Amino acid sequence: MSNLLVGDVYGKIIEAVIRDSKTEFEENGVSTATLSDLEKEWKHKLSQKDVAHMSWDPKPVPPQPVQQVPIPAQSLPSVATNHAQPSYSTYHQQPQPNGATRIKVENGPEQQYHGLPNSYPQSMPDGQGGQVRAAQLAQQYAQARGIAGGLALPGQRPQSMQPQNQTQHQAQQMYMHQQRQQQAALQQQQAQPRIKVENESPQLHQGGFQQHPRPPNPAYAQTDGADEGLEEWQAYIANRRATTAEQTERADHMMRDAVLQNSASLESGLMMTLDELPKGARSKKRQGKARAADKSVVAAGPSIPQLDGDYDEDEKPIKDEDDVDAINSDLDSEEDPTGDLDEDDDDFGDSILCTYDKVQRVKNKWKCVLKDGVMSINKKEWVFHKGTGEFEW
Amino acid sequence: MSAVTSNATFTSTSAAATALDAVGSTAALVDTLQNPSAIKTMANANQNFYELYRSTSIGQTLADTLDELISSRRIEPQLAMRVMQNFDQNIAAVLGEKVKSRLNFKGHLDTYRFCDEVWTFIIKDVTFKMVDTGQQERADRVKIVACQSKDKPEK
C-alpha cells in the first residue's frame, strides 16, 4: 500500500461518483459542464491537500495560474484607480495567492454581479472609459488563456440587472457589500479564472451566458427568494462543522456529571461537614444548571432527581479540582481524554475511518479486525482492505 | 436499533440524532471526527451506506466543492445531497472491491468507546505495518472510528 495506490483508488471513486451522478444532474436539468466543473474542482482540491500522489495529479499546474494571472489583474486597477474606492486599492495590495476574493475585489468596480458592467459604460460614459478598457483587457486575456473554469453567474441575474442604471456611488456601495459577501462564500481556488469569467460575463450575457462558467455570487442568495433546499444544505454543512464540538462537550459534561454523581454517591458526604455540604453541592454541581435546580429544590423540597429526600443527608460533596475542600479520589477523571479529540483536525489528527469485523478483549489485551479503511497518518492518506490491530489498555 | 435504522431516511446528522434520541438511544454521544457519521443514510435501492467516509479528505473536498456550486446557484442542495449519497455508496464499493492491501498495527489503547454499534478507539504510540510492501509508519496518537461491517448481520 502506498500513496500511489491511494491516488488510483481516489481516482476510481471520483469516476464512479461522477458517473452515478450524471443521471441525477440530467434529471435536474443541470448541464454536464457543471458536472465536469465539479469533477475538476474536486480533483483540484484533492491535489491541493497533498495527502497522496493522485493519478491525475498535475502538481505543478495549479500554482501556475496563480502566478501568471495576477499580472493582468494588477494592471487593471491601475487603469481604474481614478474611480476606485479606497478599499479597492487596499485589497489590491494584499497578496495574490490569498484567494479569489482579493483578486475579485480588484475587478469589482469594473465588473459586478449586479450587472454593473452593463450599466457602467452606459450610465457613466464620461470618465469610465478606463474601466471599460480594463475590463476588455481582462476579457481578452481570459479568452486567450481559454480559461473555462470557475463559477458563472446565474442566468437571472444579468437580465434583472441590466435595466438598472446605478450611479457610481450606489455602485461603490454595492461593491463594498458584495466584497464582504464574496469573501465569506468564495474559496481560494481558481481565483483568476473566476475573475476572467466575470469580465467575460457582462459581455456575453446577452449572447448566451449559459455556455460560459458563471462566477459565484453569494449576494444572489440574499436577494433571491427563500430556498428551503439551500437552507437545508447550509444547515447540513454547519452541522458537520459544529456537531463535534457540541457533542463532545455534551458528552464530556454528561460523563463528568455521571462520574461526579457516582463518586458523590460513594462519599455520601461523610468527609464534609454539614455546613459545607449545601455550599459544595450548589456551587459545584452541574455547573450552573443544577444551581437553579438546587435552589429551587431547597425552596420547594426534594423534587429534583439528584436530591433524594433531605438534601442535608444525601447531598454529596461535589468534587472539583479547583475546590480546596474538595475530596479527590482516584476514581475522578480529571479530564475526558476524548476531549482532546477536539484538537484533531484533518491536518494533524491521525485517524482511521473503517468498519470492524471483530473486536475482542481478553483482560487488557484488545484485538480487532478492521475492514475497508481510509487512514490519515502524518498528513498522508492510505487505504486498506483489511487491518488487524493489537493493543493493550 | 434495527427499527431505527430500517426506517431511516436521514440526510442530515441533526435529524438523525433527533430521531435516535426520540427512541432513547445515545446516538448523540457518538463521537467521530466531524459528526456522528456512523448514522446510515438511505441511498437508492433501499440500501444503507455509512456517512462515515465523508470525514475523509476526499469526502470533505467533495462537500466543499458542492458547497461552492450551491453558493453560486449552479446546483440545488437536494442534488448535492444526492451526490453525497452516491459518494457514500461508491467509496464503500471501491474500498471493498478494488483495494486489496492489508495492514497490521500495534499500540497502546488509551480510550475505547462502543456506542450505537460504533467503536471509537484512541491509540497511542502506534506502529503501522503494511503487509504488502513492508512499509512502516509511526504515529503518536490515532483515533479509530469503526462502524459495523456490512458482512455482519446488523440486526
mmCIF file of all heavy atoms in Angstrom, chain A residues 20 24 37 45 187 229-230 236 240 244 346 350 352 355-357 372 381 385-386 388 391-392, chain B residues 31 33-34 53-54 57 60 68 74 77 82 90 101 103 105 107 109 138 143 145 147 149 152:
data_model
loop_
_atom_site.group_PDB
_atom_site.id
_atom_site.type_symbol
_atom_site.label_atom_id
_atom_site.label_comp_id
_atom_site.label_asym_id
_atom_site.label_seq_id
_atom_site.Cartn_x
_atom_site.Cartn_y
_atom_site.Cartn_z
ATOM 1 N N ASP A 20 -22.258 8.036 -11.590
ATOM 2 C CA ASP A 20 -23.577 7.812 -10.994
ATOM 3 C C ASP A 20 -24.359 9.108 -10.843
ATOM 4 O O ASP A 20 -25.593 9.085 -10.804
ATOM 5 C CB ASP A 20 -23.419 7.145 -9.619
ATOM 6 C CG ASP A 20 -22.971 5.700 -9.743
ATOM 7 O OD1 ASP A 20 -23.037 5.156 -10.868
ATOM 8 O OD2 ASP A 20 -22.553 5.123 -8.722
ATOM 9 N N GLU A 24 -28.484 12.004 -12.308
ATOM 10 C CA GLU A 24 -29.119 12.946 -11.373
ATOM 11 C C GLU A 24 -29.032 14.365 -11.914
ATOM 12 O O GLU A 24 -29.985 15.139 -11.848
ATOM 13 C CB GLU A 24 -28.418 12.879 -10.014
ATOM 14 C CG GLU A 24 -28.247 11.492 -9.442
ATOM 15 C CD GLU A 24 -29.441 11.063 -8.635
ATOM 16 O OE1 GLU A 24 -30.308 11.915 -8.374
ATOM 17 O OE2 GLU A 24 -29.524 9.883 -8.287
ATOM 18 N N ASP A 37 -17.160 20.556 -14.169
ATOM 19 C CA ASP A 37 -16.530 21.501 -13.245
ATOM 20 C C ASP A 37 -16.448 20.917 -11.849
ATOM 21 O O ASP A 37 -15.452 21.132 -11.134
ATOM 22 C CB ASP A 37 -17.325 22.812 -13.212
ATOM 23 C CG ASP A 37 -17.207 23.575 -14.514
ATOM 24 O OD1 ASP A 37 -16.252 23.289 -15.277
ATOM 25 O OD2 ASP A 37 -18.058 24.432 -14.783
ATOM 26 N N LYS A 45 -8.959 20.236 -5.598
ATOM 27 C CA LYS A 45 -8.892 20.375 -4.130
ATOM 28 C C LYS A 45 -8.124 19.208 -3.520
ATOM 29 O O LYS A 45 -7.354 19.370 -2.570
ATOM 30 C CB LYS A 45 -10.300 20.427 -3.549
ATOM 31 C CG LYS A 45 -10.997 21.762 -3.689
ATOM 32 C CD LYS A 45 -12.316 21.769 -2.936
ATOM 33 C CE LYS A 45 -12.802 23.139 -2.601
ATOM 34 N NZ LYS A 45 -13.208 23.935 -3.727
ATOM 35 N N GLN A 187 -14.127 30.355 -2.248
ATOM 36 C CA GLN A 187 -12.946 29.588 -1.892
ATOM 37 C C GLN A 187 -11.750 30.186 -2.593
ATOM 38 O O GLN A 187 -11.851 31.104 -3.404
ATOM 39 C CB GLN A 187 -13.137 28.130 -2.317
ATOM 40 C CG GLN A 187 -14.362 27.475 -1.719
ATOM 41 C CD GLN A 187 -14.238 27.382 -0.232
ATOM 42 O OE1 GLN A 187 -13.169 27.236 0.331
ATOM 43 N NE2 GLN A 187 -15.393 27.487 0.462
ATOM 44 N N GLY A 229 -34.125 24.282 0.132
ATOM 45 C CA GLY A 229 -33.042 23.355 -0.125
ATOM 46 C C GLY A 229 -31.702 23.954 0.252
ATOM 47 O O GLY A 229 -30.851 23.273 0.834
ATOM 48 N N LEU A 230 -31.534 25.223 -0.067
ATOM 49 C CA LEU A 230 -30.270 25.874 0.269
ATOM 50 C C LEU A 230 -30.099 25.933 1.763
ATOM 51 O O LEU A 230 -29.017 25.694 2.291
ATOM 52 C CB LEU A 230 -30.254 27.289 -0.331
ATOM 53 C CG LEU A 230 -29.005 28.120 -0.018
ATOM 54 C CD1 LEU A 230 -27.760 27.427 -0.541
ATOM 55 C CD2 LEU A 230 -29.141 29.500 -0.613
ATOM 56 N N TYR A 236 -26.859 21.518 6.908
ATOM 57 C CA TYR A 236 -26.080 20.280 6.941
ATOM 58 C C TYR A 236 -24.599 20.586 7.076
ATOM 59 O O TYR A 236 -23.883 19.983 7.869
ATOM 60 C CB TYR A 236 -26.348 19.491 5.660
ATOM 61 C CG TYR A 236 -25.367 18.380 5.415
ATOM 62 C CD1 TYR A 236 -25.381 17.214 6.178
ATOM 63 C CD2 TYR A 236 -24.418 18.479 4.398
ATOM 64 C CE1 TYR A 236 -24.485 16.203 5.942
ATOM 65 C CE2 TYR A 236 -23.530 17.464 4.171
ATOM 66 C CZ TYR A 236 -23.562 16.335 4.936
ATOM 67 O OH TYR A 236 -22.658 15.343 4.691
ATOM 68 N N ARG A 240 -22.169 19.678 10.200
ATOM 69 C CA ARG A 240 -20.959 18.884 10.085
ATOM 70 C C ARG A 240 -19.818 19.536 10.838
ATOM 71 O O ARG A 240 -19.043 18.885 11.506
ATOM 72 C CB ARG A 240 -20.581 18.735 8.610
ATOM 73 C CG ARG A 240 -21.317 17.652 7.880
ATOM 74 C CD ARG A 240 -21.028 17.775 6.405
ATOM 75 N NE ARG A 240 -19.610 17.898 6.138
ATOM 76 C CZ ARG A 240 -18.814 16.849 5.981
ATOM 77 N NH1 ARG A 240 -19.286 15.640 6.078
ATOM 78 N NH2 ARG A 240 -17.537 17.015 5.751
ATOM 79 N N THR A 244 -19.238 18.219 16.189
ATOM 80 C CA THR A 244 -18.218 17.574 17.008
ATOM 81 C C THR A 244 -18.035 18.303 18.312
ATOM 82 O O THR A 244 -18.073 17.689 19.384
ATOM 83 C CB THR A 244 -16.884 17.552 16.246
ATOM 84 O OG1 THR A 244 -17.035 16.784 15.061
ATOM 85 C CG2 THR A 244 -15.812 16.941 17.130
ATOM 86 N N ASP A 346 -8.033 17.796 10.210
ATOM 87 C CA ASP A 346 -7.593 16.993 9.086
ATOM 88 C C ASP A 346 -6.094 17.019 8.967
ATOM 89 O O ASP A 346 -5.486 16.097 8.475
ATOM 90 C CB ASP A 346 -8.223 17.526 7.803
ATOM 91 C CG ASP A 346 -9.724 17.486 7.915
ATOM 92 O OD1 ASP A 346 -10.228 16.551 8.554
ATOM 93 O OD2 ASP A 346 -10.380 18.386 7.391
ATOM 94 N N ASP A 350 -4.357 12.261 13.324
ATOM 95 C CA ASP A 350 -4.260 10.970 12.657
ATOM 96 C C ASP A 350 -5.521 10.184 12.951
ATOM 97 O O ASP A 350 -5.918 10.049 14.122
ATOM 98 C CB ASP A 350 -3.025 10.225 13.166
ATOM 99 C CG ASP A 350 -1.748 10.961 12.776
ATOM 100 O OD1 ASP A 350 -1.815 11.798 11.855
ATOM 101 O OD2 ASP A 350 -0.705 10.710 13.398
ATOM 102 N N ILE A 352 -8.340 6.878 11.516
ATOM 103 C CA ILE A 352 -8.698 5.763 10.638
ATOM 104 C C ILE A 352 -10.209 5.655 10.642
ATOM 105 O O ILE A 352 -10.827 5.549 11.701
ATOM 106 C CB ILE A 352 -8.093 4.431 11.131
ATOM 107 C CG1 ILE A 352 -6.570 4.534 11.242
ATOM 108 C CG2 ILE A 352 -8.484 3.291 10.209
ATOM 109 C CD1 ILE A 352 -5.916 3.307 11.816
ATOM 110 N N THR A 355 -14.645 0.010 8.872
ATOM 111 C CA THR A 355 -15.654 -0.836 9.500
ATOM 112 C C THR A 355 -14.927 -1.923 10.287
ATOM 113 O O THR A 355 -13.755 -2.211 10.033
ATOM 114 C CB THR A 355 -16.576 -1.473 8.450
ATOM 115 O OG1 THR A 355 -15.789 -2.312 7.592
ATOM 116 C CG2 THR A 355 -17.263 -0.409 7.607
ATOM 117 N N TYR A 356 -15.633 -2.498 11.236
ATOM 118 C CA TYR A 356 -14.999 -3.547 12.042
ATOM 119 C C TYR A 356 -15.720 -4.857 11.805
ATOM 120 O O TYR A 356 -16.942 -4.915 11.684
ATOM 121 C CB TYR A 356 -14.999 -3.183 13.533
ATOM 122 C CG TYR A 356 -16.373 -3.108 14.171
ATOM 123 C CD1 TYR A 356 -16.974 -4.237 14.732
ATOM 124 C CD2 TYR A 356 -17.063 -1.899 14.240
ATOM 125 C CE1 TYR A 356 -18.223 -4.161 15.317
ATOM 126 C CE2 TYR A 356 -18.298 -1.815 14.826
ATOM 127 C CZ TYR A 356 -18.881 -2.949 15.358
ATOM 128 O OH TYR A 356 -20.124 -2.866 15.946
ATOM 129 N N ASP A 357 -14.887 -5.906 11.735
ATOM 130 C CA ASP A 357 -15.438 -7.247 11.665
ATOM 131 C C ASP A 357 -15.537 -7.861 13.046
ATOM 132 O O ASP A 357 -16.489 -8.557 13.375
ATOM 133 C CB ASP A 357 -14.561 -8.127 10.769
ATOM 134 C CG ASP A 357 -15.149 -8.282 9.381
ATOM 135 O OD1 ASP A 357 -16.244 -7.719 9.140
ATOM 136 O OD2 ASP A 357 -14.535 -8.963 8.547
ATOM 137 N N ASP A 372 -11.908 -2.238 5.091
ATOM 138 C CA ASP A 372 -12.243 -1.123 4.190
ATOM 139 C C ASP A 372 -12.025 0.213 4.866
ATOM 140 O O ASP A 372 -12.965 0.967 5.124
ATOM 141 C CB ASP A 372 -13.705 -1.237 3.738
ATOM 142 C CG ASP A 372 -13.994 -2.550 3.052
ATOM 143 O OD1 ASP A 372 -13.038 -3.184 2.562
ATOM 144 O OD2 ASP A 372 -15.160 -2.954 3.020
ATOM 145 N N GLU A 381 -2.364 9.907 3.306
ATOM 146 C CA GLU A 381 -3.539 9.046 3.341
ATOM 147 C C GLU A 381 -3.199 7.670 2.785
ATOM 148 O O GLU A 381 -2.397 7.522 1.868
ATOM 149 C CB GLU A 381 -4.676 9.679 2.535
ATOM 150 C CG GLU A 381 -5.158 10.978 3.120
ATOM 151 C CD GLU A 381 -6.660 11.048 3.255
ATOM 152 O OE1 GLU A 381 -7.358 10.287 2.561
ATOM 153 O OE2 GLU A 381 -7.125 11.874 4.047
ATOM 154 N N HIS A 385 -7.739 -2.859 2.796
ATOM 155 C CA HIS A 385 -8.906 -3.727 2.718
ATOM 156 C C HIS A 385 -9.146 -4.396 4.065
ATOM 157 O O HIS A 385 -10.280 -4.554 4.506
ATOM 158 C CB HIS A 385 -8.698 -4.775 1.628
ATOM 159 C CG HIS A 385 -9.780 -5.809 1.581
ATOM 160 N ND1 HIS A 385 -11.093 -5.498 1.309
ATOM 161 C CD2 HIS A 385 -9.758 -7.142 1.790
ATOM 162 C CE1 HIS A 385 -11.824 -6.600 1.348
ATOM 163 N NE2 HIS A 385 -11.041 -7.615 1.646
ATOM 164 N N LYS A 386 -8.079 -4.800 4.709
ATOM 165 C CA LYS A 386 -8.229 -5.486 5.983
ATOM 166 C C LYS A 386 -7.095 -5.068 6.906
ATOM 167 O O LYS A 386 -5.938 -5.013 6.489
ATOM 168 C CB LYS A 386 -8.203 -7.007 5.780
ATOM 169 C CG LYS A 386 -8.447 -7.807 7.056
ATOM 170 C CD LYS A 386 -8.511 -9.296 6.759
ATOM 171 C CE LYS A 386 -8.742 -10.066 8.057
ATOM 172 N NZ LYS A 386 -8.757 -11.527 7.810
ATOM 173 N N THR A 388 -5.493 -5.467 10.988
ATOM 174 C CA THR A 388 -5.534 -6.197 12.250
ATOM 175 C C THR A 388 -4.797 -5.372 13.294
ATOM 176 O O THR A 388 -3.659 -4.969 13.076
ATOM 177 C CB THR A 388 -4.859 -7.569 12.115
ATOM 178 O OG1 THR A 388 -5.437 -8.250 11.007
ATOM 179 C CG2 THR A 388 -5.050 -8.390 13.371
ATOM 180 N N PHE A 391 -3.662 -4.130 20.781
ATOM 181 C CA PHE A 391 -3.191 -3.116 21.716
ATOM 182 C C PHE A 391 -3.561 -3.488 23.127
ATOM 183 O O PHE A 391 -4.443 -4.308 23.376
ATOM 184 C CB PHE A 391 -3.737 -1.724 21.364
ATOM 185 C CG PHE A 391 -4.937 -1.722 20.474
ATOM 186 C CD1 PHE A 391 -6.203 -1.870 20.983
ATOM 187 C CD2 PHE A 391 -4.787 -1.540 19.105
ATOM 188 C CE1 PHE A 391 -7.303 -1.845 20.166
ATOM 189 C CE2 PHE A 391 -5.890 -1.518 18.284
ATOM 190 C CZ PHE A 391 -7.151 -1.674 18.804
ATOM 191 N N GLU A 392 -2.864 -2.840 24.018
ATOM 192 C CA GLU A 392 -3.111 -3.047 25.436
ATOM 193 C C GLU A 392 -3.752 -1.801 25.994
ATOM 194 O O GLU A 392 -3.412 -0.679 25.638
ATOM 195 C CB GLU A 392 -1.788 -3.297 26.171
ATOM 196 C CG GLU A 392 -1.146 -4.615 25.838
ATOM 197 C CD GLU A 392 0.060 -4.874 26.724
ATOM 198 O OE1 GLU A 392 0.184 -4.233 27.782
ATOM 199 O OE2 GLU A 392 0.892 -5.700 26.334
ATOM 200 N N ASP B 31 -19.116 9.826 18.911
ATOM 201 C CA ASP B 31 -18.082 10.836 18.720
ATOM 202 C C ASP B 31 -17.248 10.430 17.532
ATOM 203 O O ASP B 31 -16.553 9.430 17.564
ATOM 204 C CB ASP B 31 -17.205 10.922 19.982
ATOM 205 C CG ASP B 31 -16.203 12.037 19.870
ATOM 206 O OD1 ASP B 31 -16.365 12.888 18.983
ATOM 207 O OD2 ASP B 31 -15.259 12.059 20.655
ATOM 208 N N LEU B 33 -15.057 12.166 13.962
ATOM 209 C CA LEU B 33 -14.182 13.282 13.690
ATOM 210 C C LEU B 33 -14.970 14.568 13.533
ATOM 211 O O LEU B 33 -14.658 15.574 14.133
ATOM 212 C CB LEU B 33 -13.379 13.025 12.419
ATOM 213 C CG LEU B 33 -12.215 12.052 12.578
ATOM 214 C CD1 LEU B 33 -11.594 11.797 11.233
ATOM 215 C CD2 LEU B 33 -11.206 12.610 13.537
ATOM 216 N N GLN B 34 -15.962 14.518 12.702
ATOM 217 C CA GLN B 34 -16.673 15.741 12.391
ATOM 218 C C GLN B 34 -18.109 15.685 12.878
ATOM 219 O O GLN B 34 -18.659 16.689 13.282
ATOM 220 C CB GLN B 34 -16.692 15.947 10.868
ATOM 221 C CG GLN B 34 -15.302 16.086 10.269
ATOM 222 C CD GLN B 34 -14.923 17.523 10.148
ATOM 223 O OE1 GLN B 34 -15.774 18.388 10.165
ATOM 224 N NE2 GLN B 34 -13.642 17.797 10.026
ATOM 225 N N TYR B 53 -17.391 7.930 5.694
ATOM 226 C CA TYR B 53 -16.274 8.329 4.861
ATOM 227 C C TYR B 53 -16.347 9.782 4.406
ATOM 228 O O TYR B 53 -15.464 10.261 3.694
ATOM 229 C CB TYR B 53 -16.172 7.406 3.636
ATOM 230 C CG TYR B 53 -15.941 5.959 4.003
ATOM 231 C CD1 TYR B 53 -16.952 5.020 3.890
ATOM 232 C CD2 TYR B 53 -14.705 5.544 4.495
ATOM 233 C CE1 TYR B 53 -16.741 3.703 4.238
ATOM 234 C CE2 TYR B 53 -14.493 4.220 4.838
ATOM 235 C CZ TYR B 53 -15.510 3.300 4.721
ATOM 236 O OH TYR B 53 -15.308 1.987 5.065
ATOM 237 N N ARG B 54 -17.398 10.479 4.778
ATOM 238 C CA ARG B 54 -17.474 11.898 4.416
ATOM 239 C C ARG B 54 -16.446 12.714 5.179
ATOM 240 O O ARG B 54 -16.162 13.863 4.817
ATOM 241 C CB ARG B 54 -18.877 12.439 4.704
ATOM 242 C CG ARG B 54 -19.948 11.786 3.854
ATOM 243 C CD ARG B 54 -21.278 12.495 4.010
ATOM 244 N NE ARG B 54 -22.336 11.769 3.326
ATOM 245 C CZ ARG B 54 -23.572 12.215 3.170
ATOM 246 N NH1 ARG B 54 -23.898 13.392 3.655
ATOM 247 N NH2 ARG B 54 -24.472 11.496 2.544
ATOM 248 N N SER B 57 -10.548 13.074 3.524
ATOM 249 C CA SER B 57 -10.196 14.247 2.731
ATOM 250 C C SER B 57 -10.972 14.264 1.418
ATOM 251 O O SER B 57 -11.415 15.326 0.957
ATOM 252 C CB SER B 57 -8.697 14.257 2.453
ATOM 253 O OG SER B 57 -8.326 13.110 1.712
ATOM 254 N N GLN B 60 -14.478 15.414 2.234
ATOM 255 C CA GLN B 60 -14.571 16.828 2.581
ATOM 256 C C GLN B 60 -14.356 17.704 1.361
ATOM 257 O O GLN B 60 -15.011 18.746 1.205
ATOM 258 C CB GLN B 60 -13.542 17.157 3.655
ATOM 259 C CG GLN B 60 -13.932 16.617 5.011
ATOM 260 C CD GLN B 60 -12.913 16.936 6.071
ATOM 261 O OE1 GLN B 60 -11.788 17.319 5.764
ATOM 262 N NE2 GLN B 60 -13.286 16.774 7.323
ATOM 263 N N GLU B 68 -19.582 25.103 -2.898
ATOM 264 C CA GLU B 68 -19.294 26.217 -3.809
ATOM 265 C C GLU B 68 -20.328 26.292 -4.919
ATOM 266 O O GLU B 68 -20.807 27.381 -5.276
ATOM 267 C CB GLU B 68 -17.913 26.042 -4.424
ATOM 268 C CG GLU B 68 -16.766 26.330 -3.481
ATOM 269 C CD GLU B 68 -15.431 26.161 -4.168
ATOM 270 O OE1 GLU B 68 -15.419 25.965 -5.394
ATOM 271 O OE2 GLU B 68 -14.419 26.200 -3.475
ATOM 272 N N ARG B 74 -25.426 27.013 -8.975
ATOM 273 C CA ARG B 74 -25.337 26.185 -10.179
ATOM 274 C C ARG B 74 -26.057 24.866 -9.987
ATOM 275 O O ARG B 74 -26.471 24.237 -10.964
ATOM 276 C CB ARG B 74 -23.873 25.932 -10.516
ATOM 277 C CG ARG B 74 -23.130 27.199 -10.900
ATOM 278 C CD ARG B 74 -21.711 26.892 -11.318
ATOM 279 N NE ARG B 74 -21.671 26.264 -12.633
ATOM 280 C CZ ARG B 74 -20.557 25.816 -13.191
ATOM 281 N NH1 ARG B 74 -19.425 25.896 -12.544
ATOM 282 N NH2 ARG B 74 -20.568 25.270 -14.391
ATOM 283 N N PRO B 77 -29.385 22.249 -3.593
ATOM 284 C CA PRO B 77 -28.881 21.492 -2.434
ATOM 285 C C PRO B 77 -29.339 20.031 -2.438
ATOM 286 O O PRO B 77 -28.597 19.151 -2.007
ATOM 287 C CB PRO B 77 -29.467 22.255 -1.244
ATOM 288 C CG PRO B 77 -29.702 23.628 -1.752
ATOM 289 C CD PRO B 77 -30.063 23.475 -3.197
ATOM 290 N N ARG B 82 -27.778 14.263 -2.967
ATOM 291 C CA ARG B 82 -27.779 13.022 -3.733
ATOM 292 C C ARG B 82 -26.365 12.631 -4.129
ATOM 293 O O ARG B 82 -25.986 11.459 -4.123
ATOM 294 C CB ARG B 82 -28.649 13.178 -4.996
ATOM 295 C CG ARG B 82 -30.143 13.239 -4.711
ATOM 296 C CD ARG B 82 -30.698 11.925 -4.227
ATOM 297 N NE ARG B 82 -30.420 10.854 -5.179
ATOM 298 C CZ ARG B 82 -29.920 9.675 -4.839
ATOM 299 N NH1 ARG B 82 -29.635 9.414 -3.584
ATOM 300 N NH2 ARG B 82 -29.701 8.761 -5.754
ATOM 301 N N ASN B 90 -20.355 4.720 -3.379
ATOM 302 C CA ASN B 90 -19.258 4.338 -4.244
ATOM 303 C C ASN B 90 -17.955 4.144 -3.484
ATOM 304 O O ASN B 90 -17.142 3.280 -3.848
ATOM 305 C CB ASN B 90 -19.070 5.393 -5.353
ATOM 306 C CG ASN B 90 -20.106 5.248 -6.444
ATOM 307 O OD1 ASN B 90 -20.108 4.273 -7.179
ATOM 308 N ND2 ASN B 90 -20.999 6.214 -6.548
ATOM 309 N N SER B 101 -5.005 -4.282 -0.125
ATOM 310 C CA SER B 101 -3.870 -4.218 0.793
ATOM 311 C C SER B 101 -4.308 -4.529 2.214
ATOM 312 O O SER B 101 -5.454 -4.323 2.596
ATOM 313 C CB SER B 101 -3.231 -2.838 0.729
ATOM 314 O OG SER B 101 -4.203 -1.850 0.951
ATOM 315 N N LEU B 103 -3.118 -4.490 6.495
ATOM 316 C CA LEU B 103 -2.418 -3.629 7.440
ATOM 317 C C LEU B 103 -2.405 -4.287 8.809
ATOM 318 O O LEU B 103 -3.387 -4.898 9.219
ATOM 319 C CB LEU B 103 -3.151 -2.285 7.519
ATOM 320 C CG LEU B 103 -2.799 -1.360 8.669
ATOM 321 C CD1 LEU B 103 -1.486 -0.676 8.393
ATOM 322 C CD2 LEU B 103 -3.885 -0.313 8.858
ATOM 323 N N PHE B 105 -1.285 -3.243 12.887
ATOM 324 C CA PHE B 105 -0.856 -2.137 13.725
ATOM 325 C C PHE B 105 -0.939 -2.538 15.192
ATOM 326 O O PHE B 105 -1.759 -3.361 15.591
ATOM 327 C CB PHE B 105 -1.675 -0.873 13.467
ATOM 328 C CG PHE B 105 -3.142 -0.996 13.719
ATOM 329 C CD1 PHE B 105 -3.685 -0.571 14.916
ATOM 330 C CD2 PHE B 105 -3.981 -1.518 12.759
ATOM 331 C CE1 PHE B 105 -5.040 -0.667 15.153
ATOM 332 C CE2 PHE B 105 -5.335 -1.611 12.986
ATOM 333 C CZ PHE B 105 -5.874 -1.186 14.186
ATOM 334 N N GLY B 107 -0.305 -0.878 19.327
ATOM 335 C CA GLY B 107 -0.134 0.327 20.110
ATOM 336 C C GLY B 107 -0.722 0.155 21.490
ATOM 337 O O GLY B 107 -1.089 -0.950 21.905
ATOM 338 N N LEU B 109 -3.732 1.170 23.907
ATOM 339 C CA LEU B 109 -5.114 1.651 23.858
ATOM 340 C C LEU B 109 -5.335 2.640 24.995
ATOM 341 O O LEU B 109 -5.261 2.284 26.168
ATOM 342 C CB LEU B 109 -6.078 0.476 23.967
ATOM 343 C CG LEU B 109 -7.563 0.829 23.953
ATOM 344 C CD1 LEU B 109 -7.952 1.512 22.660
ATOM 345 C CD2 LEU B 109 -8.412 -0.415 24.172
ATOM 346 N N ARG B 138 4.773 5.364 11.898
ATOM 347 C CA ARG B 138 4.549 5.536 13.329
ATOM 348 C C ARG B 138 3.703 6.776 13.557
ATOM 349 O O ARG B 138 3.782 7.753 12.808
ATOM 350 C CB ARG B 138 5.900 5.712 14.046
ATOM 351 C CG ARG B 138 6.495 4.418 14.568
ATOM 352 C CD ARG B 138 7.322 4.653 15.837
ATOM 353 N NE ARG B 138 6.486 4.833 17.007
ATOM 354 C CZ ARG B 138 6.256 5.993 17.592
ATOM 355 N NH1 ARG B 138 6.757 7.099 17.102
ATOM 356 N NH2 ARG B 138 5.519 6.061 18.672
ATOM 357 N N LYS B 143 -6.861 8.115 16.142
ATOM 358 C CA LYS B 143 -8.251 7.877 16.507
ATOM 359 C C LYS B 143 -8.865 6.956 15.471
ATOM 360 O O LYS B 143 -8.765 7.220 14.268
ATOM 361 C CB LYS B 143 -9.012 9.193 16.552
ATOM 362 C CG LYS B 143 -10.465 9.035 16.915
ATOM 363 C CD LYS B 143 -11.142 10.391 16.954
ATOM 364 C CE LYS B 143 -12.603 10.244 17.294
ATOM 365 N NZ LYS B 143 -13.303 11.524 17.232
ATOM 366 N N VAL B 145 -12.333 5.182 14.173
ATOM 367 C CA VAL B 145 -13.787 5.134 14.224
ATOM 368 C C VAL B 145 -14.223 4.032 13.288
ATOM 369 O O VAL B 145 -13.897 4.053 12.094
ATOM 370 C CB VAL B 145 -14.421 6.470 13.796
ATOM 371 C CG1 VAL B 145 -15.933 6.382 13.854
ATOM 372 C CG2 VAL B 145 -13.923 7.590 14.693
ATOM 373 N N CYS B 147 -17.448 1.466 12.087
ATOM 374 C CA CYS B 147 -18.836 1.032 12.090
ATOM 375 C C CYS B 147 -18.876 -0.464 11.831
ATOM 376 O O CYS B 147 -17.908 -1.059 11.354
ATOM 377 C CB CYS B 147 -19.633 1.752 11.009
ATOM 378 S SG CYS B 147 -19.627 3.530 11.197
ATOM 379 N N SER B 149 -19.294 -3.896 10.198
ATOM 380 C CA SER B 149 -19.088 -4.280 8.819
ATOM 381 C C SER B 149 -20.395 -4.738 8.206
ATOM 382 O O SER B 149 -21.251 -5.342 8.867
ATOM 383 C CB SER B 149 -18.046 -5.399 8.754
ATOM 384 O OG SER B 149 -17.940 -5.889 7.439
ATOM 385 N N LYS B 152 -21.490 -8.372 8.429
ATOM 386 C CA LYS B 152 -22.125 -8.932 9.612
ATOM 387 C C LYS B 152 -23.588 -8.553 9.601
ATOM 388 O O LYS B 152 -23.954 -7.472 9.157
ATOM 389 C CB LYS B 152 -21.476 -8.361 10.869
ATOM 390 C CG LYS B 152 -20.154 -8.977 11.204
ATOM 391 C CD LYS B 152 -19.746 -8.514 12.603
ATOM 392 C CE LYS B 152 -18.977 -9.593 13.313
ATOM 393 N NZ LYS B 152 -18.740 -9.260 14.688
#
